[in-house]
Amino acid sequence: MQPPRVVLGVSGGIAAYKAAELCRAFVREGFEVHPVLTRGAREFVSPLTFAVLSGREVPTEVWGDRHSPAVLHVELADATDLLVVAPATAHTLARFAHGLADDFLTTYFLSHRGPVLVAPAMESAMWAHPAVRANCDLLAARGARFVGPASGFLASGHEGVGRMAEPEEILAAARALLARTPASRDMERLRILVTAGPTREPVDPVRFLSNRSSGRMGYALAEAARDRGAAVTLLSGPTGLPAPPGVRFASFETSADLHGLLVREFPECDALAMAAAVADFIPEASAERLHRQDGDATLRLAAGRDVLASLRPLKREQVVIAFAAETEDLERRGAAKRDAKGADLIVINDVGRGDIGFESPDNEVVILAKGEPARVVSRRPKREVADAIWDAFLKARPEAVAARELSGAPESRR
Ligand code: CTP
């Protein structure tokens, strides 16, 4: 079997030095790597580094660096399995989004026909800029996959979202992308609503009650559904995670905010995955700040609304996926909760275990669909758990949803 062929595009950011490590990791894994550097990248790293690591020439310009016919980008595209761009700067993302072809990488991008994986790296303010957001959304809508950026220390000394994903993570995403077949765009035309992260309920103007939900499971569900072709809306509580490209996004703080968003969005979706960790108790908030000097204070907690159960009157053919965090008697309690909340499936998390759930990148769950035996999803990255949950959803969805999918009824609001 031919080794998979990867074109590794490197654009001009400080993370370009890490692209050398990525190049080496691809070679070590048996990939045939063709590095391509932009002019900006050459300011940070030498083409020679990549030439030595890959054993290939490293083009930058499209019209041949050596009086050769300028068709290498076409030849390369004929047999390349994957284009990986790491780091992808704001400028390179913009050139991809708008089809500019002013160097080898951007010209190659337009000739490339396989999957594209981009690992953005830039300052947080640039990543948050509407122009960058719009370019990323455009690329995601056309099928590009994103890995990162992560949060952490940036070249400027600031801390925030914008660090390039680590080479090992990019390699794993590349492997996953190559393993995927076109048949896995099996959620096309479905409108998926996902809630994620914790709620925050104010105690006074400066304090709140919240919980340990990181939002990771919900974000993984949103990304997995997007990659399988669905039109996804993600409603998120406060998390440290960047809004995924190619997903409609709205944020909430309190459970009342979340309820308001759901009342508007739920009637228009085909499935709701309710992964948000919603407050069960709402503190009686003080309008003024509580002061230590005033001595002990008592907080009165009122039982909050069960947001999911409150949507029952709006439910028609939507498939509802509830999430249960339990510490004991998982299946019995989970099934009872599913039925009490009018859900079709429930995903049960064992929160008694410290090694999975909440902040962990991995999860292990039990999926209980009505009338089906329990399905145990053994420990794996949350993204793979998300795919297992969507597989269970596809099996459980009612005929009406399946029929709309087949009929090609237009998607709303992509
Ligand atoms: N949920 C909700 N509103 C709440 C609490 C939970 O909509 N006030 C949703 C969650 O998003 C989840 C499901 O209900 O999908 C189950 O959440 P869980 O916290 O396990 O259940 P609770 O209803 O809080 O039950 P208990 O705490 O008594 O176990």
Side-chain angles (χ1 to χ4, degrees):
M1 242 182 52
Q2 287 281 89
R5 182 192 272 189
V6 171
V7 168
L8 173 61
V10 182
S11 56
I14 183 62
Y17 81 93
K18 283 199 196 165
E21 224 178 280
L22 178 62
C23 180
R24 204 173 58 149
F26 274 126
V27 171
R28 190 187 63 219
E29 294 280 310
F31 286 75
E32 180 187 317
V33 188
H34 291 260
V36 176
L37 265 59
T38 65
R39 281 164 226 140
R42 292 170 74 123
E43 298 290 325
F44 287 92
V45 286
S46 156
L48 188 59
T49 309
F50 289 86
V52 172
L53 290 172
S54 66
R56 316 254 162 213
E57 280 186 45
V58 180
T60 292
E61 304 299 344
V62 76
W63 24 78
D65 297 324
R66 303 157 297 113
H67 308 293
S68 54
V71 289
L72 180 59
H73 58 283
V74 181
E75 276 167 32
L76 256 187
D78 284 340
T80 293
D81 300 293
L82 176 65
L83 168 62
V84 178
V85 186
T89 58
H91 184 229
T92 291
L93 290 169
R95 292 187 297 159
F96 286 168
H98 299 284
L100 302 183
D102 62 350
D103 66 358
F104 192 94
L105 179 60
T106 46
T107 308
Y108 175 77
F109 174 79
L110 296 179
S111 322
H112 178 76
R113 288 184 298 276
V116 176
L117 178 67
V118 288
M122 65 195 75
E123 280 296 309
S124 312
M126 295 171 73
W127 178 246
H129 194 282
V132 175
R133 303 263 39 82
N135 289 335
C136 290
D137 286 348
L138 202 57
L139 291 169
R142 292 180 189 149
R145 301 291 157 78
F146 286 75
V147 53
S151 297
F153 274 109
L154 305 173
S156 59
H158 293 143
E159 215 181 323
V161 176
R163 270 173 77 91
M164 188 176 85
E166 290 304 320
E168 284 305 318
E169 203 185 327
I170 301 173
L171 183 66
R175 272 209 229 95
L177 204 47
L178 285 171
R180 206 164 286 150
T181 60
S184 61
R185 280 184 75 81
D186 53 3
M187 290 176 71
E188 233 145 35
R189 296 197 191 86
L190 288 174
R191 299 158 305 173
I192 302 294
L193 182 57
V194 179
T195 69
T199 52
R200 278 183 183 172
E201 304 297 337
V203 168
D204 71 9
V206 294
R207 302 181 178 92
F208 54 79
L209 274 190
S210 190
N211 59 65
R212 289 177 58 206
S213 167
S214 68
R216 284 213 182 93
M217 194 61 237
Y219 277 60
L221 281 159
E223 287 169 0
R226 173 201 65 196
D227 292 347
R228 291 167 76 155
V232 181
T233 299
L234 174 62
L235 309 180
S236 176
T239 71
L241 305 171
V247 162
R248 243 178 104 233
F249 185 88
S251 51
F252 60 82
E253 284 235 344
T254 64
S255 53
D257 294 344
L258 173 61
H259 179 253
L261 288 169
L262 279 169
V263 166
R264 201 177 71 202
E265 300 287 339
F266 181 66
E268 287 205 48
C269 76
D270 295 307
L272 163 66
M274 187 74 180
V278 187
D280 285 322
F281 295 99
I282 314 293
E284 208 167 79
S286 155
E288 277 113 45
R289 193 190 152 157
L290 303 174
H291 291 285
R292 185 160 32 101
Q293 292 89 320
D294 300 338
D296 294 351
T298 308
L299 196 58
R300 228 188 100 72
L301 298 175
R305 183 203 317 257
D306 185 329
V307 176
L308 189 53
S310 76
L311 298 176
R312 282 183 98 150
L314 301 177
K315 189 170 188 292
R316 295 181 330 280
E317 279 131 11
Q318 301 96 322
V319 176
V320 171
I321 307 170
F323 288 74
E326 300 293 346
T327 50
E328 79 284 320
D329 205 1
L330 306 195
E331 288 187 26
R332 195 188 56 77
R333 294 180 69 93
K337 213 173 252 189
R338 177 194 63 202
D339 299 339
K341 288 175 186 266
D344 302 280
L345 283 89
I346 191 157
V347 179
I348 311 164
N349 243 311
D350 185 351
V351 287
R353 291 177 55 167
D355 55 336
I356 51 170
F358 290 125
E359 290 95 353
S360 164
D362 291 346
N363 207 356
E364 178 179 316
V365 300
V366 179
I367 304 175
L368 284 182
K370 266 191 194 153
E372 297 265 340
R375 172 147 190 251
V376 178
V377 182
S378 60
R379 182 175 181 160
R380 60 195 73 185
K382 282 181 173 165
R383 173 56 197 257
E384 288 174 33
V385 174
D387 274 314
I389 293 169
W390 292 128
D391 289 344
F393 150 71
L394 288 177
K395 271 183 76 184
R397 74 199 192 287
E399 290 306 310
V401 174
R404 216 176 48 72
E405 230 185 311
L406 288 176
S407 75
E411 295 170 13
S412 75
R413 299 194 292 212
R414 172 115 246 208

